[in-house]
Amino acid sequence: MAGTVLVTGGSGYIAGFLIKQLLEQGWRVHTTVRNPAREAALRPLLGGDADALRFFTADLMHDDGWAKAMAGCSHVAHVASPFSTNAPRHEDDLIVPAREGVLRALRFAGAAGVTRFVQTSSVAAIAYGHGRGVHRFTEADWTDVNGADVYAYVKSKTLAERAARDWIAGQGGAMEFVSVNPAAVLGPVWSDDFSASIEVVRQLLGGLLPGCPDLGFGIVDVRDVADLHVRALTAHGIAGERFIAAGPFMKLIDVARVLKAQMPADARKVPTRTLPDWLVRVSALFNPMIRQITGELGNVRDADAGHALAMLGWQTRPVEQSIVDCARSLIERGVVKV
Ligand code: NAP
């Protein structure tokens, strides 16, 4: 099955792998970028000739360009959404583009006669606001945005998926909607403009952390996340479904140990001790980035991807491979000096 699909945010980490996989499978791909000047640098990295891959200029915050980008598309993967390591000045800097952006994409998709719309949501829309401790989440769980542990990005992803599902229920007509909800995405980077999720490996490998805070996350490979998007775009009988894209939950210290064990020569600067929580909390007084994550100390937010495995035949590669491929690509691109 191949037709024309719009992948929003063609400059993004996940979108890049998705575009490559769709092109390999014979799809014609439209993609949006905010800045048209980026096409020249992105096209050689993504592959596809001028007919197979077309760039359109569109911003989540404005209507301009969306009708042209959607024209002729039967499918949409709405991947674009603000994602940054920096805490925003105001939560609306993330929430408004995330929520208004998906509603805008849905509106233009509906008008263009798109039949299947896949939203890249997140485990962030599932696993927060449930209190501290050890949890294993499924697609039945929803983040409570009033929870004490909810920060701007988490809110943005939750409110955007909620808004999309409400819109579909009210105005979606025959258009089918599916969400893919990834955990922390690692794997090789394909450009120097990589995702915020890569920061963990960059900082460990570059020796930028004095030790490992007692933090963890589910890890999933970017190639597997892209593959799950392709399945979500094409499988029959899945309208309305939500699919968690996650591998095992790992603490930072476990990621560090994988790096040390699998690439000892290059992982010389990787810290091998866990930082006491009190030290992380003191550092947070001076560092807003650390402040964002102190609420995470000691928590386990495991997410169960059994639904995608069973319903879509999705498979994941070993997490060690995702971590090592991520680290090697950062070294090869000169992002990290070891
Ligand atoms: P990324 O590389 O930072 O990609 C984000 C994309 O969104 C970029 O193409 C960016 O365009 C675009 N974007 C942001 N604000 C925009 C706006 N106002 N108008 C148009 N485009 C805008 O991050 P990623 O990891 O690939 O994330 C892709 C999606 O996956 C996001 O929805 C994210 O929430 C979700 N996700 C990611 C992870 C993860 O661990 N990486 C986990 C769960 C879910 P510019 O290049 O112009 O900024």
Side-chain angles (χ1 to χ4, degrees):
M1 174 174 174
T4 304
V5 54
L6 171 66
V7 178
T8 65
S11 54
Y13 181 45
I14 295 172
F17 276 95
L18 176 58
I19 289 170
K20 285 195 240 189
Q21 288 187 17
L22 289 164
L23 289 171
E24 279 160 22
Q25 294 178 31
W27 287 78
R28 285 159 61 105
V29 179
H30 291 188
T31 193
T32 58
V33 283
R34 284 196 266 193
N35 174 1
R38 298 197 66 179
E39 175 178 349
L42 290 170
R43 184 174 281 286
L45 298 172
L46 294 171
D49 59 26
D51 186 45
L53 175 60
R54 295 180 61 195
F55 284 77
F56 298 85
T57 308
D59 190 298
L60 294 172
M61 296 294 284
H62 306 287
D63 284 349
D64 306 343
W66 285 99
K68 275 189 190 162
M70 294 278 178
C73 292
S74 51
H75 293 65
V76 171
H78 179 60
V79 190
S81 202
F83 186 30
S84 163
T85 46
N86 300 322
R89 266 174 307 180
H90 191 280
E91 63 178 18
D92 282 349
D93 295 348
L94 299 186
I95 294 169
V96 174
R99 185 176 51 203
E100 300 308 314
V102 72
L103 291 176
R104 180 164 284 111
L106 282 164
R107 216 165 5 95
F108 280 98
V114 164
T115 54
R116 171 74 59 85
F117 187 105
V118 175
Q119 179 186 15
T120 313
S121 184
S122 174
V123 163
I126 291 177
Y128 289 76
H130 303 285
R132 296 184 53 76
V134 177
H135 297 278
R136 185 161 175 84
F137 297 102
T138 70
E139 287 84 357
D141 296 302
W142 273 92
T143 288
D144 173 359
V145 292
N146 299 311
D149 56 348
V150 169
Y151 50 96
Y153 173 73
V154 169
K155 224 178 196 181
S156 79
K157 295 306 287 183
T158 310
L159 295 178
E161 189 187 337
R162 284 272 192 213
R165 288 181 178 275
D166 288 348
W167 189 93
I168 284 287
Q171 301 165 66
M175 186 162 64
E176 294 184 345
F177 175 88
V178 177
S179 70
V180 173
N181 296 62
V185 182
L186 296 182
V189 301
W190 62 272
S191 84
D192 291 344
D193 180 16
F194 44 78
S195 168
S197 53
I198 302 298
E199 267 306 297
V200 168
V201 176
R202 188 183 77 84
Q203 296 211 10
L204 283 174
L205 198 62
L208 303 179
L209 299 175
C212 298
D214 182 25
L215 298 171
F217 26 75
I219 296 180
V220 62
D221 193 283
V222 66
R223 296 159 287 194
D224 298 332
V225 172
D227 172 58
L228 185 54
H229 277 76
V230 176
R231 288 167 198 262
L233 283 165
T234 54
H236 294 291
I238 59 167
E241 292 285 349
R242 237 179 159 195
F243 293 103
I244 287 174
F249 182 92
M250 290 176 82
K251 292 275 170 132
L252 226 54
I253 190 73
D254 302 318
V255 177
R257 286 186 184 129
V258 169
L259 292 168
K260 281 279 191 205
Q262 307 252 343
M263 39 197 303
D266 289 329
R268 277 186 299 265
K269 297 182 192 164
V270 174
T272 48
R273 65 181 187 112
T274 297
L275 285 179
D277 291 355
W278 66 264
L279 190 54
V280 179
R281 292 208 169 89
V282 170
S283 314
L285 297 174
F286 309 100
N287 183 331
M289 200 174 124
I290 298 179
R291 212 171 299 147
Q292 282 209 122
I293 49 97
T294 47
E296 289 298 298
L297 292 169
N299 280 339
V300 172
R301 299 181 199 275
D302 198 3
D304 181 349
H307 188 47
L309 302 176
M311 193 162 189
L312 297 178
W314 184 58
Q315 294 184 338
T316 57
R317 69 202 70 213
V319 69
E320 293 79 8
Q321 191 183 336
S322 313
I323 294 167
V324 169
D325 288 354
C326 184
R328 293 224 163 94
S329 68
L330 290 173
I331 295 168
E332 275 160 24
R333 300 194 75 84
V335 175
V336 176
K337 307 266 182 277
V338 290

